[in-house]
Amino acid sequence: GAGVSQSPSNKVTEKGKDVELRCDPISGHTALYWYRQSLGQGLEFLIYFQGNSAPDKSGLPSDRFSAERTGGSVSTLTIQRTQQEDSAVYLCASSPAGAHGNTIYFGEGSWLTVV
Amino acid sequence: QKEVEQNSGPLSVPEGAIASLNCTYSDRGSQSFFWYRQYSGKSPELIMFIYSNGDKEDGRFTAQLNKASQYVSLLIRDSQPSDSATYLCAVDTGRRALTFGSGTRLQVQP
């Protein structure tokens, strides 16, 4: 596709349920990122995939969060046993090479509300 | 100390004025610097990037970088109400994904 595609665009879930958020990066982009943005806050780095290298998971806030990237393309961010503090917009981004010197392009985000 | 710091604002300027947005960063090894604009309820979109000391101009936007002072700024000339948004500074430290500041909210008054 022309841009980074994320689904679902909106998700309301009950506390304690698991959720999966999907990201389809720009075709040909080797790097993929997940960020989180709570209401009125800045962007919080979560995880970074670059080609076949081991992902940088240093931003994941707890072991309830995990992500995978299959075939070097589509990525899924999974949040287990959701909590109200997980409510945020989850932004996926991609870039044509590593973060070094290359710009990243964001999807429209998945708005997660935990009730 | 935060890795990337921005004044949260709001910065209010009258229409037609120059808006000056500032950002400081802590890692001297940082290589590239980016400005993103984010409208309320929307995702960030890239405005400009800069790698070298000095100024870089693109239309009404000028990015300025001073690596010795660890300072990067964005000037918006002839500000328009449509420029009202949050402006995010992002830094590539060469280690991993971009590190973002918390953003400065700009309000351009008609």
Side-chain angles (χ1 to χ4, degrees):
Chain A
V4 177
S5 178
Q6 292 188 244
S7 62
S9 55
N10 283 284
K11 175 73 175 179
V12 180
T13 190
E14 292 181 351
K15 179 181 173 181
K17 300 283 190 181
D18 297 353
V19 296
E20 285 190 350
L21 308 175
R22 175 190 166 103
C23 173
D24 199 344
I26 293 172
S27 179
H29 282 195
T30 58
L32 186 148
Y33 316 79
W34 283 98
Y35 287 85
R36 177 171 72 173
Q37 188 174 33
S38 301
L39 190 63
Q41 302 299 310
L43 274 70
E44 175 187 5
F45 166 75
L46 297 178
I47 189 168
Y48 162 50
F49 296 90
Q50 170 53 41
N52 294 322
S53 301
D56 178 351
K57 304 180 181 180
S58 59
L60 294 177
S62 78
D63 59 7
R64 295 187 295 104
F65 288 73
S66 63
E68 62 177 20
R69 188 179 185 191
T70 54
S73 181
V74 172
S75 177
T76 301
L77 176 69
T78 301
I79 309 172
Q80 296 178 309
R81 305 180 303 281
T82 51
Q83 303 295 313
Q84 288 184 329
E85 60 263 29
D86 299 335
S87 296
V89 58
Y90 289 81
L91 291 162
C92 179
S94 68
S95 71
H100 306 264
N102 284 284
T103 56
I104 66 174
Y105 301 90
F106 286 90
E108 290 300 311
S110 290
W111 293 74
L112 175 65
T113 303
V114 181
V115 297
Chain B
Q1 180 187 9
K2 290 183 180 178
E3 291 186 75
V4 180
E5 296 215 42
Q6 297 181 255
N7 187 316
S8 61
L11 171 66
S12 185
V13 301
E15 184 175 355
I18 296 175
S20 177
L21 302 158
N22 304 315
C23 173
T24 58
Y25 59 95
S26 60
D27 189 334
R28 282 197 171 274
S30 299
Q31 302 170 359
S32 327
F33 307 86
F34 304 80
W35 283 101
Y36 284 79
R37 177 177 61 198
Q38 186 175 28
Y39 291 112
S40 181
K42 299 294 185 182
S43 60
E45 57 179 329
L46 179 70
I47 299 176
M48 291 189 71
F49 58 86
I50 186 167
Y51 304 146
S52 305
N53 275 328
D55 295 0
K56 179 181 179 182
E57 186 174 318
D58 183 1
R60 294 187 297 112
F61 298 96
T62 299
Q64 298 176 318
L65 174 61
N66 184 326
K67 289 187 178 181
S69 300
Q70 295 174 242
Y71 176 95
V72 58
S73 65
L74 179 70
L75 302 179
I76 307 174
R77 289 182 300 282
D78 187 24
S79 296
Q80 302 298 308
S82 59
D83 295 326
S84 298
T86 296
Y87 289 80
L88 300 166
C89 172
V91 175
D92 176 10
T93 62
R95 296 196 305 272
R96 63 175 200 190
L98 296 184
T99 301
F100 284 81
S102 57
T104 298
R105 188 157 61 94
L106 173 66
Q107 295 177 339
V108 181
Q109 306 295 337

